[in-house]
Amino acid sequence: QVQLVESGGGLVQAGGSLRLSCAASGRTFSSAYMGWFRQAPGKEREFVAAIRGSGGRTYYAYYADSVKGRFTISRDNAKNTVYLQMSSLKPEDTAVYYCAAGGRQYYSRQEDYDYWGQGTQVTVSS
């Protein structure tokens, strides 16, 4: 049984930083996309970032325009964990952040991922 468990959410002031973690168990995702999506109140869930390995030590990372330059996605295959380092946070980053794994081709499409975490709340105060 595959499980994704997110952690690291919380309350932070605008301009601050948070680091989210997503630990996967049940299978490895070394060559598949792992990603982060978020859903703000009253809005649809949206793509934030995704990362995929190439089989070696090279990783490919992709970001939504709204977070590019502020967020960094990384992964530790030995720990089967993906991270999202969020810096220069803004109130509009407030949302529930979801980890997703098993993405095959379209990294920004929710339907391309097979597994989802339960979500972790990030609240940025102004």
Side-chain angles (χ1 to χ4, degrees):
Q1 182 181 0
V2 175
Q3 282 191 319
L4 303 178
V5 179
E6 301 107 330
S7 61
L11 173 64
V12 64
Q13 288 189 332
S17 299
L18 279 176
R19 186 196 196 205
L20 305 183
S21 300
C22 172
S25 60
R27 61 160 282 188
T28 59
F29 299 95
S30 55
S31 60
Y33 285 109
M34 295 187 76
W36 291 93
F37 290 76
R38 68 185 181 186
Q39 187 168 19
K43 296 187 177 181
E44 294 186 352
R45 190 157 56 182
E46 64 177 5
F47 168 74
V48 175
I51 189 168
R52 179 179 66 85
S54 65
R57 295 185 177 182
T58 301
Y59 294 95
Y60 301 94
Y62 306 89
Y63 300 93
D65 288 342
S66 59
V67 305
K68 202 171 292 184
R70 301 188 297 121
F71 291 11
T72 302
I73 189 171
S74 61
R75 63 192 292 171
D76 184 336
N77 283 342
K79 296 181 179 180
N80 215 17
T81 298
V82 64
Y83 305 95
L84 186 68
Q85 178 67 48
M86 305 184 294
S87 302
S88 301
L89 282 161
K90 305 175 181 179
E92 50 263 44
D93 294 318
T94 295
V96 177
Y97 283 71
Y98 296 91
C99 173
R104 291 169 292 278
Q105 184 176 3
Y106 302 104
Y107 56 83
S108 64
R109 295 185 184 179
Q110 300 177 52
E111 56 268 25
D112 208 52
Y113 291 83
D114 295 324
Y115 306 100
W116 291 83
Q118 81 286 354
T120 185
Q121 176 71 46
V122 171
T123 302
V124 184
S125 64
S126 57

